[in-house]
Amino acid sequence: MPQEPLTLYKLIILYMLDRVNFPLTSAQVGDFILEKEYTNFLTLQQAISELTEAGLISAQSIRNRTHLLITAEGLNTLSFFENRISDTIKKEINTFFKDNEMELRNEVSILADYYKSTTGDYDAHLVAKEKKVKLVDITLSVPTEESAAAICDNWQRKNQQIYQYLIQQLF
């Protein structure tokens, strides 16, 4: 595989992560890159993997999503090589964010994960963030994995109503 296209894909990923002030999931990055038909899924995964291994991005798995953030070293690299990304691609990325920013932000601002606790129960950990500030951070202990998974799924769908309810009841 030629190195030049892979380098461009890496720069596109760095550019995307630099354009937002919240993490993007690998699926969100992939949706854009694959929709524009810049490359295929396997090459995209290779680019993300190599960026992570090189320390240019960080990847954090939360439940079934991988959240990506650009690192200081990634920002430095981008500053040197950003000019290798065409103005057309930059415009497409900026338009994508303009059209989808709220939806993208909401996907990564509402976190839900569960794990088996030391007591044998399952803890569902639910978080709602606005920018980098945690608005809600709740851990619920439940007896079954199915209950914990259902709580996480419902949090993804109903977090705004739950947050409003808490605020109304507590103030």
Side-chain angles (χ1 to χ4, degrees):
M1 170 172 298
Q3 186 59 29
E4 192 59 37
L6 187 59
T7 300
L8 176 61
Y9 308 144
K10 291 177 186 179
L11 289 171
I12 290 170
I13 294 166
L14 291 174
Y15 185 83
M16 290 181 73
L17 294 175
D18 182 47
R19 291 294 165 253
V20 293
N21 60 1
F22 53 91
L24 292 174
T25 66
S26 57
Q28 291 170 328
V29 171
D31 286 347
F32 172 78
I33 290 175
L34 297 174
E35 180 182 306
K36 294 294 183 184
E37 297 182 349
Y38 291 143
T39 189
N40 60 48
F41 179 78
L42 292 176
T43 304
L44 172 64
Q45 293 308 308
Q46 179 184 354
I48 290 172
S49 176
E50 289 182 14
L51 286 168
T52 304
E53 289 171 13
L56 301 179
I57 64 173
S58 65
Q60 178 186 13
S61 292
I62 300 174
R63 204 155 176 224
N64 58 353
R65 296 179 183 170
T66 302
H67 293 235
L68 306 174
L69 283 167
I70 191 167
T71 64
E73 192 172 335
L75 287 169
N76 190 38
T77 300
L78 183 62
S79 72
F80 286 114
F81 299 108
E82 182 178 330
N83 61 344
R84 293 189 181 182
I85 305 170
S86 73
D87 289 339
T88 302
I89 292 174
K90 288 179 183 178
K91 185 176 181 181
E92 288 175 345
I93 291 169
N94 294 332
T95 300
F96 173 74
F97 286 135
K98 183 179 175 191
D99 294 344
N100 299 292
E101 182 177 4
M102 287 310 295
E103 181 181 326
L104 295 169
R105 183 187 305 268
N106 286 342
E107 279 185 42
V108 295
S109 295
I110 307 305
L111 308 175
D113 199 6
Y114 67 89
Y115 50 89
K116 192 167 190 170
S117 69
T118 57
T119 64
D121 287 338
Y122 287 85
D123 288 344
H125 186 216
L126 315 172
V127 177
K129 296 192 292 187
E130 178 69 35
K131 296 192 177 166
K132 294 185 180 187
V133 176
K134 287 184 183 178
L135 300 174
V136 177
D137 188 341
I138 301 171
T139 302
L140 298 172
S141 184
V142 293
T144 67
E145 184 176 4
E146 293 78 21
S147 296
I151 288 169
C152 291
D153 291 339
N154 286 327
W155 178 248
Q156 292 291 338
R157 287 193 309 275
K158 300 179 180 181
N159 61 79
Q160 289 180 339
Q161 299 97 309
I162 294 167
Y163 178 74
Q164 289 172 348
Y165 175 79
L166 288 171
I167 294 299
Q168 288 171 352
Q169 295 301 310
L170 296 174
F171 282 112

